[in-house]
Amino acid sequence: MHAEPHFLQRQIARLVRVEPRELAAVTAAFCLFFFVLGSYFAVRPVRETVATLLGRERVADLWLYTALFSIAIVPLWGWLVARMRRSVLLPLLYGTVAILLAVIGSYIQVDESNLQVGTFFYVWISVINLMLVSVFWSFLLEMFNSEQAKRLFGFIAAGGTFGALIGPLIARLSVDSIGNSGVLYLGTVGFLGAIVCQRVLINIWRRHPPSDAPSAAATGRDDDGRGGNPFAGIFIVLRSPYLLSIALLVVFLSAVNTVVYFEQLRIVSETFPDTTRRTEVFATLDFIVQSLTILSQVFLTGRIASKLGVRTLLTFVPVLMIIGFMLLSMLNVFAMVAALLILRRWGEYAFVRPGREMLWGSMDTESKYKAKSFIDVPVYRAADYVGAQAKTALDAGGAAPAGAARIGAALATGGAVNGWWLGRKHDRSTGPQSP
């Protein structure tokens, strides 16, 4: 009975320092994130292909609807968190995503060029993907304290990255035979797997909550709805300079992403006329990003956070982006855009995103679910929309790609400064962690 867990612990211990009582939760969380990101990244190349069919101008306009739906989802999510047990709400979220992917896939199977369906799919998946990741980390922040987060979040994030590595690989290998609709059906199957893993993780949390987790109440089973105002997340952020700074960091990250994203759409559309080939290119880029990310998360993220602090996770990638944008301003070709895209995504997934999640470690449960989802979804998508409109205006005004690259460098500079301040504040507040 005990030999297998001890063996598993030894294998995981080769990669990360995990205690026996943490093993089950870490393994379940790793598998859950594998299915969540694996499913999303399998269908993401289809989203990018849909974007090329819609056109850059239409996509820029759609970001307004994405931002509006992101804002609208805040009170709905706040209401659900206030009234539903997490053991019901979280599996329900994954089940809803699975059903909608299957429905959209059936429409695309009939008519891939249907702009109405493509528009809905693009907006919906752009909203829900941020919500899925935000909710995943919100639950983990209930299970683990700040010291555990620094040790374990990098390895757990690697589960998602492994899924994000396998997802686009499967999409690339199968899209020729099953088409874009078939890829969406694969995403449905993946989210059904996420439901199973979430149920396992919730059962572990109920029976064996970490004794020093911040949410561990006397019974260790605080699964009730959080109560309160559905709009509470907005007011919590507005009252806190610390959370406003996290929101500002998200704005900088989103703005940098917007510059790279629209350059990617422009140059891929010009370079690859065939839509299937575009999906293959997007899937290949995702595969490269996830390969680099999983190695970094397993071997670097936790060690950097424990030894050099969260401020390092949040800072050094924006610094590299400054250099990359300056190079892009001088050499605007597909290879350079692809390299910058890989750098941004690799750096965000491997270092910046885990660092952002660690910033929430000392927050109360209501903040972790309501305030966090407000920053992660509507703030991010509103920044996307403003950035997209600004980029469209620059293009309409005849601005050269080199000018957009220099703006990207300035935004990355702001992100580096803000990330350093936030990380230093967090590192000072948590102090030295016990081994």
Side-chain angles (χ1 to χ4, degrees):
M1 290 288 292
H2 299 287
E4 187 175 348
H6 289 311
F7 171 78
L8 181 60
Q9 183 185 355
R10 287 197 300 271
Q11 301 311 306
I12 295 179
R14 295 173 183 268
L15 305 174
V16 62
R17 183 162 56 87
V18 57
E19 299 176 7
R21 64 185 176 84
E22 301 166 338
L23 180 62
V26 168
T27 304
F30 182 97
C31 293
L32 171 59
F33 211 24
F34 169 83
F35 279 108
V36 170
L37 285 196
S39 304
Y40 167 68
F41 275 95
V43 304
R44 175 167 150 162
V46 180
R47 186 196 75 167
E48 305 306 337
T49 297
V50 168
T52 63
L53 294 174
L54 296 173
R56 283 182 295 154
E57 294 77 11
R58 187 182 181 94
V59 168
D61 292 336
L62 287 182
W63 283 24
L64 171 61
Y65 297 103
T66 301
L68 292 176
F69 279 115
S70 297
I71 294 171
I73 206 173
V74 169
L76 173 60
W77 180 249
W79 184 86
L80 292 172
V81 168
R83 287 159 178 79
M84 294 184 67
R85 291 180 290 119
R86 265 99 71 215
S87 58
V88 175
L89 178 59
L90 301 184
L92 178 63
L93 174 63
Y94 299 133
T96 302
V97 173
I99 292 171
L100 283 175
L101 281 176
V103 172
I104 294 168
S106 68
Y107 277 98
I108 289 180
Q109 187 173 1
V110 174
D111 182 10
E112 189 178 74
S113 62
N114 188 316
L115 293 183
Q116 288 74 28
V117 174
T119 297
F120 173 81
F121 172 61
Y122 186 91
V123 172
W124 170 72
I125 200 69
S126 299
V127 173
I128 202 64
N129 79 303
L130 293 180
M131 178 62 74
L132 291 169
V133 175
S134 178
V135 169
F136 170 81
W137 287 113
S138 293
F139 186 74
L140 287 198
L141 286 164
E142 287 197 85
M143 298 191 71
F144 302 110
N145 63 23
S146 294
E147 185 274 331
Q148 291 171 313
K150 285 186 176 182
R151 283 191 293 109
L152 303 174
F153 274 17
F155 177 77
I156 292 172
T161 303
F162 184 51
L165 179 66
I166 297 299
L169 176 61
I170 293 175
R172 192 191 190 293
L173 295 177
S174 62
V175 66
D176 277 336
S177 57
I178 65 176
N180 288 325
S181 62
V183 174
L184 297 187
Y185 295 144
L186 289 177
T188 294
V189 175
F191 277 107
L192 294 178
I195 295 174
V196 176
C197 292
Q198 181 67 74
R199 292 296 307 165
V200 171
L201 189 61
I202 287 172
N203 288 336
I204 294 170
W205 176 59
R206 282 172 161 175
R207 294 194 307 265
H208 308 293
S211 59
D212 55 352
S215 65
T219 63
R221 297 178 177 88
D222 185 16
D223 187 31
D224 295 333
R226 306 315 303 166
N229 189 331
F231 295 91
I234 300 173
F235 300 116
I236 291 170
V237 172
L238 294 178
R239 289 195 300 262
S240 170
Y242 180 73
L243 295 183
L244 285 172
S245 295
I246 295 178
L248 181 60
L249 176 63
V250 167
V251 170
F252 279 125
L253 294 173
S254 171
V256 168
N257 175 57
T258 299
V259 174
V260 180
Y261 182 79
F262 279 95
E263 283 302 295
Q264 165 198 261
L265 290 184
R266 176 187 62 82
I267 206 158
V268 168
S269 297
E270 294 173 356
T271 308
F272 305 101
D274 181 66
T275 59
T276 299
R277 177 60 177 150
R278 292 176 190 175
T279 299
E280 291 177 351
V281 168
F282 290 130
T284 300
L285 291 175
D286 278 341
F287 180 80
I288 294 171
V289 168
Q290 306 311 331
S291 299
L292 293 172
T293 301
I294 194 169
L295 292 173
S296 301
Q297 288 171 333
V298 170
F299 297 108
L300 295 177
T301 305
R303 291 172 173 83
I304 291 174
S306 297
K307 296 181 182 299
L308 301 178
V310 174
R311 64 184 178 276
T312 304
L313 292 179
L314 297 176
T315 305
F316 82 92
V317 173
V319 170
L320 292 178
M321 289 298 296
I322 296 170
I323 299 172
F325 274 121
M326 295 311 296
L327 291 175
L328 181 63
S329 69
M330 297 179 286
L331 187 65
N332 198 282
V333 296
F334 171 74
M336 190 65 228
V337 172
L340 190 61
L341 179 72
I342 290 169
L343 171 63
R344 190 206 65 78
R345 290 182 180 172
W346 161 67
E348 181 167 347
Y349 302 153
F351 307 112
V352 177
R353 186 62 193 249
R356 275 177 53 201
E357 303 305 338
M358 294 174 194
L359 294 175
W360 292 89
S362 61
M363 299 287 103
D364 59 81
T365 302
E366 186 175 35
S367 296
K368 289 173 183 175
Y369 279 93
K370 296 181 180 180
K372 186 174 183 300
S373 64
F374 171 66
I375 291 176
D376 287 347
V377 184
V379 169
Y380 194 102
R381 287 310 184 200
D384 276 349
Y385 172 70
V386 173
Q389 294 303 310
K391 181 67 167 63
T392 301
L394 287 173
D395 291 343
R406 285 190 286 269
I407 292 173
L411 294 168
T413 301
V417 173
N418 191 34
W420 175 264
W421 182 85
L422 276 169
R424 184 177 64 175
K425 186 175 181 64
H426 174 272
D427 293 335
R428 286 179 175 178
S429 66
T430 56
Q433 304 292 343
S434 58

